[in-house]
């Protein structure tokens, strides 16, 4: 009895595992097709300055509408792409598409900066820095209008290739941000050494504002630390007025979140291109 139960359970997990592996393999193939068939697109989420209440930037976020599964989250397909060469294709797509879009919008008088996310695999790619320089040159987007976001865990990898790429990017005048801050283990010294421009407080800390005094204490100290090394602080994941007011009171510089604006297709955010 126990034996058959055990085997049944084993088979059950086996089926689950097989299904997960199959979904991954299918998604990877589908993602490859999506890149080839131009089925990816970028959504843009406003970043609001808390003193002027103006949208000063947008974050370009990759979107994939799968023919059968509908919207697949980047939290699912980015890690998948990172395990293969696909991430460089996706990264190049995002870079070209979003710089082109922003350059056009700026020419129409919409004075906002662009933020995009980078994977470590891109920083390790020897052709990446010149791809950025080329995208800026071809679109005419000023380097200081582009901010590249790298997650805290990715920045703390201690990779020479990545360090060199980051200095080269700074050399061409591009801005750099540390994303999802608070989820890794970086020190003040590391923050200073990296010479970044912006620090984004991870959503998990912003979520607790207004309900947890711990969250408020953590956000307060992150802001103090970031300002001590002259970084602009952006709060991610602001979902209500209470959080926004608290962030303003705590001296946070900029904010982003569903309360201020959800990620939208460019046409919905700014209208059809002229
Ligand atoms: P991220 O860079 O930290 O982006 C912020 C994520 O939080 C986005 O999720 C955004 O839609 C979501 N968000 C914004 N405001 C709120 C809010 O008020 N509440 C909640 N619950 N969520 C909010 P998304 O678009 O699903 O992207 C997830 C992650 O995938 C990104 O986190 C980023 O790490 C990665 N990603 C997205 N696009 C790209 C890309 O083009 N390249 C790379 N390498 N990674 C990307
Ligand atoms: Mg488009
Ligand atoms: Mg980001
Ligand atoms: Mg983030």
């Amino acid at each position: 009895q126990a034996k058959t139960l055990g085997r049944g359970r084993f088979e059950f997990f086996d089926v689950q595992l097989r299904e997960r592996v199959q979904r991954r393999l299918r998604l990877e193939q589908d993602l490859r097709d999506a890149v080839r068939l131009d089925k990816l697109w970028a959504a843009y989420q406003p970043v609001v300055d808390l003193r002027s209440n103006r949208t000063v930037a947008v974050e370009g976020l990759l979107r994939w509408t799968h023919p059968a599964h509908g919207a697949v989250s980047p939290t699912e397909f980015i890690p998948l792409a990172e395990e293969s060469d696909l991430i460089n294709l996706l990264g190049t797509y995002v870079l070209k598409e979003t710089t082109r879009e922003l350059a056009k919008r700026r020419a129409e008088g919409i004075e906002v900066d662009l933020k995009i996310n980078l994977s470590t695999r891109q920083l390790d790619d020897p052709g990446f820095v010149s791809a950025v320089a080329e995208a800026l040159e071809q679109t005419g987007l000023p380097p200081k209008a582009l901010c590249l976001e790298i997650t805290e865990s990715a920045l703390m990898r201690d990779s020479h290739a990545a360090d060199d790429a980051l200095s080269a990017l700074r050399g061409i005048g591009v801005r750099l941000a540390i994303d999802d801050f608070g989820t890794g283990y970086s020190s003040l010294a590391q923050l200073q050494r990296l010479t970044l421009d912006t620090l984004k407080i991870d959503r998990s800390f912003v979520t607790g504002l207004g309900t947890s005094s711990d969250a408020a204490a953590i956000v307060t100290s992150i802001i103090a630390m970031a300002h001590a090394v002259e970084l602009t602080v952006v709060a991610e994941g602001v979902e209500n007025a209470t959080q926004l007011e608290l962030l303003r009171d705590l001296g946070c510089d900029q904010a982003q979140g569903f309360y201020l604006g959800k990620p939208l297709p460019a046409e919905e955010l700014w209208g059809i291109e002229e």
Side-chain angles (χ1 to χ4, degrees):
Q1 178 69 32
K3 224 175 179 177
T4 39
L5 225 171
R7 196 174 56 214
R9 226 172 249 163
F10 176 73
E11 280 166 1
F12 173 70
F13 284 122
D14 198 40
V15 167
Q16 275 200 328
L17 183 67
R18 197 166 62 230
E19 278 172 359
R20 270 218 307 276
V21 170
Q22 279 170 349
R23 176 173 161 97
R24 282 183 68 100
L25 286 175
R26 259 199 320 271
L27 276 183
E28 192 182 318
Q29 186 50 50
D30 293 350
L31 190 53
R32 220 169 268 281
D33 292 341
V35 177
R36 197 166 44 82
L37 302 170
D38 215 14
K39 297 292 183 208
L40 298 170
W41 56 282
Y44 297 89
Q45 183 177 37
V47 180
V48 174
D49 182 275
L50 294 184
R51 264 167 297 273
S52 66
N53 289 322
R54 284 169 173 266
T55 296
V56 288
V58 288
E59 178 172 5
L61 293 159
L62 192 56
R63 293 291 179 260
W64 176 23
T65 315
H66 187 283
H69 308 299
V72 185
S73 166
T75 57
E76 181 172 18
F77 72 78
I78 294 284
L80 199 72
E82 277 172 344
E83 285 169 23
S84 65
D85 58 309
L86 270 172
I87 193 65
N88 289 321
L89 287 177
L90 298 191
T92 305
Y93 167 78
V94 170
L95 177 68
K96 285 190 175 168
E97 171 66 18
T98 60
T99 50
R100 185 200 59 78
E101 183 75 49
L102 260 284
K104 275 199 167 186
R105 299 297 176 173
R106 287 168 68 97
E108 293 171 5
I110 299 160
E111 273 293 311
V112 296
D113 292 346
L114 173 65
K115 294 172 186 280
I116 54 176
N117 298 285
L118 286 196
S119 286
T120 48
R121 287 283 298 270
Q122 290 174 273
L123 281 179
D124 292 337
D125 171 9
F128 179 69
V129 177
S130 51
V132 172
E134 200 179 295
L136 294 172
E137 211 171 85
Q138 284 180 353
T139 59
L141 189 72
K144 67 174 171 42
L146 176 64
C147 178
L148 302 174
E149 300 189 352
I150 309 142
T151 60
E152 184 181 22
S153 46
L155 272 173
M156 296 307 147
R157 257 181 339 143
D158 206 23
S159 144
H160 276 294
D163 279 358
D164 290 350
L166 291 172
S167 338
L169 289 165
R170 268 195 303 277
I172 61 177
V174 166
R175 310 254 189 237
L176 300 172
I178 185 165
D179 205 346
D180 300 346
F181 186 81
T183 56
Y185 302 94
S186 41
S187 64
L188 254 186
Q190 282 168 313
L191 277 186
Q192 197 162 31
R193 181 184 64 85
L194 288 164
T195 55
L196 307 161
D197 304 278
T198 301
L199 177 150
K200 297 185 87 168
I201 304 176
D202 190 66
R203 187 172 79 222
S204 55
F205 303 109
V206 176
T207 303
L209 283 181
T211 53
S212 139
S213 58
D214 279 356
I218 291 168
V219 170
T220 304
S221 60
I222 293 177
I223 293 173
M225 186 174 86
H227 283 168
V229 290
E230 291 174 347
L231 297 176
T232 300
V233 185
V234 184
E236 303 191 287
V238 177
E239 292 186 347
N240 59 54
T242 310
Q243 293 164 350
L244 186 67
E245 285 324 307
L246 274 168
L247 286 163
R248 209 190 296 272
D249 291 346
L250 294 175
C252 185
D253 304 297
Q254 299 172 0
Q256 194 177 346
F258 295 166
Y259 181 70
L260 296 160
K262 291 197 170 166
L264 290 174
E267 303 76 35
E268 281 179 46
L269 188 61
W270 295 303
I272 307 292
E273 273 174 28
E274 280 163 21

